[in-house]
Amino acid sequence: MSAQKKGGLGRGLEALFADVPVKVPDDDNTAVSAGSSDYKDSVQYIKTHDIMPNANQPRKSFNEEKIEELAVSISEHGIIQPIVVRKKEKGYEIVAGERRWRAAMKAGLGQVPCLIRELDDEQNMLIAIIENMQREDLNPIEEAEGLRQMTETFGMTQDQISKSVGKSRPYITNSMRLLKLPEYIQESISEGVISAGHGRALLSVTNDEEREKLWEKISEEGLSVREAEKEAGHSGKKKKKNPAERRKDPDTLRAEEDLKMILGTKVKIENKGKKGRIQIEYYSPEELNRLIDILKTLR
């Protein structure tokens, strides 16, 4: 994607979401039909069944209880904020506001207020990701998948992603690291059985069997993140540390931890008098390229 596109989306979502108080009229015949071309920037009423969900919606799970509550509110007060859609060959596709649309369907509304925008597939997907992240509507795994899409599909750097979604680079790095976990652990994070913090603790356990045992212990005993990190630290450490590791001073250990947070991988600092070296670990060619991209931004 060109730099021009990225810059436009980085400005935020103000141009997409206007707080225009509207209430659905009683007469369904006032809705814009799927074949209408008269929309511009005004709020238009579109028939509910002419609208379809966004195929690239990063959010995969919706809380049915909350949608039911929203449906009750919509029945009473109408939809306060229009749904953002784009024109398709048949009907309209949601860009932002799928939860409102689902609630409107439950409330039995024949039409909903919409803002119609002209967006290509890339803009549509990217805006859907950013919108959900800014509203904190995604679970940690959905969020990580969205961030990965921004990196792999759109070729965005971590700095560009950081500006677009308002998250720090270490946050983005640590979020995407969750996708390295086995699927069963990712599912438990998505379902809220364990937290993203627990997931990051499990990432430090390299033995599959030990990781699964610790995951079971976290899930069944309700370990805190700190307790999980402590358990993960003991995992696989039956061998004695070498003398150099035992002699590390607190400043060196703190520097290793800071670099680990920034780079999202294990970092070792070895001091040899006034000299030394920094070792950065990676586990795949993709991981190496990610680390190179981060280091390039530091120039």
Side-chain angles (χ1 to χ4, degrees):
M1 188 171 65
S2 68
Q4 186 176 0
K5 271 186 186 177
K6 293 171 188 170
L9 290 168
R11 289 197 308 268
L13 302 175
E14 291 85 357
L16 285 174
F17 308 106
D19 292 323
V20 183
V22 289
K23 186 163 182 175
V24 178
D26 296 329
D27 183 5
D28 283 354
N29 293 326
T30 61
V32 176
S33 69
S36 173
S37 60
D38 182 20
Y39 45 85
K40 302 297 181 184
D41 281 335
S42 60
V43 175
Q44 303 288 334
Y45 289 94
I46 298 176
K47 292 180 179 179
T48 313
H49 292 287
D50 282 344
I51 300 172
M52 66 189 77
N54 187 338
N56 294 310
Q57 161 71 265
R59 188 178 183 186
K60 306 302 179 186
S61 59
F62 291 84
N63 186 310
E64 288 300 320
E65 184 178 342
K66 289 186 177 180
I67 288 179
E68 190 68 49
E69 291 173 359
L70 182 57
V72 172
S73 175
I74 286 174
S75 296
E76 180 69 22
H77 305 290
I79 295 181
I80 303 302
Q81 189 178 57
I83 296 166
V84 181
V85 299
R86 66 170 181 158
K87 190 78 174 65
K88 298 290 284 183
E89 187 175 342
K90 292 184 179 179
Y92 300 86
E93 182 182 52
I94 297 171
V95 176
E98 183 172 336
R99 194 170 69 94
R100 274 166 280 152
W101 172 75
R102 286 173 178 258
M105 294 278 281
K106 276 188 176 291
L109 268 60
Q111 56 187 15
V112 289
C114 297
L115 289 170
I116 306 171
R117 293 288 183 255
E118 294 182 5
L119 303 168
D120 61 28
D121 289 341
E122 287 189 0
Q123 290 172 318
N124 178 40
M125 182 189 294
L126 189 52
I127 288 168
I129 293 169
I130 294 172
E131 189 260 349
N132 276 288
M133 288 194 65
Q134 288 191 352
R135 292 171 188 255
E136 299 183 347
D137 281 343
L138 304 177
N139 68 52
I141 299 302
E142 289 173 337
E143 182 175 87
E145 286 284 5
L147 291 169
R148 181 163 69 179
Q149 278 186 307
M150 294 173 80
T151 300
E152 296 181 357
T153 305
F154 305 112
M156 294 178 71
T157 66
Q158 289 204 357
D159 278 340
Q160 289 170 325
I161 296 172
S162 177
K163 290 174 184 176
S164 293
V165 302
K167 304 286 186 182
S168 69
R169 280 171 45 202
Y171 179 96
I172 292 164
T173 299
N174 285 321
S175 177
M176 288 194 288
R177 287 179 66 226
L178 295 175
L179 299 178
K180 296 178 182 179
L181 289 166
E183 189 172 337
Y184 69 91
I185 297 180
Q186 290 189 38
E187 286 179 3
S188 66
I189 294 174
S190 294
E191 294 166 2
V193 177
I194 67 173
S195 71
H198 290 119
R200 286 189 288 273
L202 288 165
L203 277 167
S204 64
V205 182
T206 55
N207 182 280
D208 292 343
E209 187 177 341
E210 290 180 359
R211 184 195 292 127
E212 185 172 357
K213 286 180 180 178
L214 179 54
W215 169 75
E216 289 174 349
K217 189 171 184 178
I218 294 169
S219 303
E220 294 170 5
E221 299 181 19
L223 297 184
S224 68
V225 172
R226 187 173 292 277
E227 288 170 335
E229 289 172 342
K230 188 175 180 180
E231 291 279 345
H234 292 315
S235 176
K237 289 191 176 179
K238 293 179 181 178
K239 62 179 183 179
K240 294 181 179 180
K241 292 183 178 180
N242 62 46
E245 288 177 315
R246 287 200 296 268
R247 286 197 300 269
K248 283 184 181 176
D249 61 85
D251 289 338
T252 300
L253 292 172
R254 188 159 47 247
E256 284 182 343
E257 189 62 28
D258 288 344
L259 287 172
K260 178 182 175 182
M261 288 295 296
I262 293 170
L263 298 174
T265 191
K266 187 176 180 180
V267 177
K268 184 187 290 185
I269 299 176
E270 293 182 1
N271 294 318
K272 296 180 179 179
K274 294 182 178 180
K275 299 189 299 181
R277 64 180 178 178
I278 299 173
Q279 292 181 325
I280 303 171
E281 293 192 8
Y282 64 92
Y283 309 98
S284 68
E286 293 77 18
E287 177 81 354
L288 174 59
N289 289 331
R290 181 185 69 79
L291 291 168
I292 290 171
D293 287 340
I294 292 174
L295 294 172
K296 281 181 178 178
T297 65
L298 301 178
R299 290 186 299 182

